[in-house]
Amino acid sequence: RLYDPGLGLRMGKKLSDVEVPLFLPDTPEVRSDILDYIAEIEWFDKQLARTLAVLEGKGELDNTLVVVTSDNGMPFPRAKVNLYDWGTRMPLAMRWGAKAKGGRVVEELVSHVDFAPTFLEAAGVKVPEGVAGRSLLGLLEGRSEPRERVFTSMERHTMCRPDGSTYPMRAIRTREWLYIRNYAPERWPTGGQFLSSNRTTHGDIDGAPTKDVLLAGDARGKYPEQVRLCLDRRPAEELYDLRADAAQLRNVAGEKKDVAERLRGELEAYLKETGDPRQRGEDPWQGYVYHQTTGFGASFNKSLPEDVRKAAREAPQHKPE
C-alpha cells in the first residue's frame, strides 16, 4: 500500500470522476487516494498485457490457461481485512483460447478454493478426496453450474490487539444476502486504539490518506456514519440485503430474524462439516506465533510458553529483498 501520493492526478485523472464508496468520507484526499489506487491497477494491467504478448509471441497463448485475480479487496477501510464485498469480492478473469469462448461475463458465484481443482483438472490430474472447491472448467466451457452460496472467514491480519487477540469472523454470501458472524464483538475489528512499538492505531487498516481522514480529530463530527462503519465495534450478527443495500451499510439482522436464523444454520452446518474449531468453541489461533516480514522482525503472542517464543525468535527470519 505504498502508493505514490497524487500519481493519479499527475496522470491527468480527475477527482470528479471518482465514485466514492458510501462507507468512506467523500473528500478530495479520499478521491485522490482512490485515483492512486486506480493508477496502480492500470500499471498491473500493462504488465499483464506484456505477459500475454510474450505468450503470444511464443505461440503458446491459446494453449495457456490464464487466471487473473487478487488476494484481497481494495486496501481501504471497511474493505480489505473485512468480510464485506469490498474485502472479499475479487476481480477474476480467465482465458484459455483453445478451450473457452471469450468475451463472456459469467455471473456465477465462485471462490478461490476452486482454483486447485480447476488446475488439476486442466492438467488431467484426478482431484484428490478432501480438496475444497470445485473445478471451474465447466463454466469456462459455457456450462451453467449454479452455486447457491460461498463462505469466507477471518481470524487475524496484523498483531494489532493486546496479547495478539484475533478478530474472528465467518460469513455466508448468497446472491441476495450477506450474513456475518462476529465471534468476539467486544473487540475492535480494526484493532482499536491499541498502541505499541511498530504498531499504529487501528492497525488492521493500511496506512493511507483515507485512513488519515478517518482518524483526524474532527472526523467523527464531520463524518459520523463513515467513522462508525469503518472504526467502531460491531454486533455479533450482521445481515445485509444485497438487493436493497449493495453498499452493505444497514444491518437488518434484527428485522429479518428468519433470514438470519436460516443463514446462521447454513453457516454453522458448513463449519461443522469442514471441522472449523470456532464451531466447536475452540480458539487455536490465539496461540499461534505471528511472523511479520515487513522489516520489523517477528512479533509473538505473549500467551505462548517462553521456550516456544525463544525458538521462534532464533529461527531464521525472512528478509525482504
Side-chain angles (χ1 to χ4, degrees):
R1 188 58 167 84
L2 300 178
Y3 299 164
D4 182 2
L7 175 61
L9 289 172
R10 294 195 299 275
M11 292 174 64
K13 302 181 185 301
K14 299 179 180 179
L15 295 179
S16 58
D17 290 338
V18 174
E19 183 177 345
V20 180
L22 296 176
F23 52 83
L24 296 178
D26 191 348
T27 71
E29 295 85 358
V30 173
R31 285 177 173 263
S32 180
D33 200 14
I34 294 175
L35 287 181
D36 294 344
Y37 173 55
I38 292 171
E40 295 288 344
I41 293 174
E42 290 181 354
W43 183 90
F44 171 85
D45 288 346
K46 291 179 180 178
Q47 312 316 309
L48 174 61
R50 293 175 62 193
T51 302
L52 296 178
V54 170
L55 287 171
E56 187 173 29
K58 293 182 176 295
E60 293 292 346
L61 181 58
D62 285 345
N63 295 325
T64 304
L65 172 58
V66 180
V67 180
V68 181
T69 187
S70 173
D71 65 337
N72 50 252
M74 62 188 298
F76 285 76
R78 201 177 166 86
K80 180 182 174 181
V81 199
N82 289 276
L83 301 188
Y84 309 113
D85 277 4
W86 277 262
T88 63
R89 190 171 183 178
M90 305 294 102
L92 176 60
M94 302 179 69
R95 185 191 193 283
W96 198 356
K99 297 192 176 183
K101 181 181 178 181
R104 293 180 295 129
V105 175
V106 179
E107 299 288 351
E108 304 292 351
L109 293 170
V110 300
S111 174
H112 275 190
V113 297
D114 297 329
F115 293 151
T118 299
F119 299 151
L120 289 171
E121 183 180 353
V125 177
K126 182 179 179 181
V127 179
E129 292 291 332
V131 171
R134 66 189 191 189
S135 173
L136 301 177
L137 291 192
L139 294 178
L140 279 180
E141 295 168 356
R143 299 194 300 272
S144 177
E145 300 178 352
R147 176 185 259 149
E148 300 298 325
R149 60 192 65 81
V150 292
F151 300 90
T152 56
S153 65
M154 180 73 191
E155 281 290 333
R156 177 193 288 141
H157 180 237
T158 64
M159 188 74 90
C160 64
R161 298 176 190 84
D163 296 326
S165 295
T166 67
Y167 191 79
M169 298 179 280
R170 303 290 186 273
I172 178 173
R173 168 69 153 81
T174 70
R175 296 183 183 277
E176 297 83 20
W177 301 97
L178 171 65
Y179 171 87
I180 302 175
R181 170 74 188 279
N182 298 308
Y183 287 85
E186 73 281 0
R187 300 176 188 170
W188 295 94
T190 63
Q193 298 292 335
F194 173 57
L195 293 170
S196 70
S197 61
N198 300 327
R199 296 291 177 270
T200 60
T201 182
H202 297 281
D204 262 357
I205 300 177
D206 288 347
T210 299
K211 180 178 180 178
D212 295 339
V213 170
L214 284 168
L215 295 184
D218 58 353
R220 196 170 288 273
K222 286 184 175 181
Y223 322 107
E225 187 65 5
Q226 286 76 18
V227 171
R228 180 186 70 82
L229 290 168
C230 291
L231 302 183
D232 287 356
R233 290 186 175 97
R234 300 167 186 168
E237 291 187 303
E238 298 178 72
L239 177 67
Y240 299 96
D241 183 345
L242 304 180
R243 296 161 296 185
D245 180 22
Q248 296 148 38
L249 306 176
R250 185 168 176 267
N251 180 12
V252 296
E255 303 171 28
K256 303 290 186 179
K257 294 183 179 179
D258 56 334
V259 178
E261 182 178 358
R262 173 173 60 83
L263 293 177
R264 183 193 315 121
E266 292 183 21
L267 176 62
E268 291 179 350
Y270 176 79
L271 297 179
K272 182 177 180 180
E273 175 189 347
T274 54
D276 192 312
R278 284 286 170 200
Q279 188 57 29
R280 301 193 297 267
E282 301 171 3
D283 181 6
W285 297 276
Q286 183 68 21
Y288 284 4
V289 174
Y290 179 87
H291 289 281
Q292 178 173 309
T293 59
T294 56
F296 297 124
S299 301
F300 307 98
N301 189 331
K302 296 178 181 178
S303 66
L304 289 171
E306 173 55 29
D307 61 334
V308 175
R309 287 190 283 131
K310 181 176 183 295
R313 280 196 301 269
E314 295 174 351
Q317 297 295 316
H318 168 73
K319 299 296 184 183
E321 296 296 332

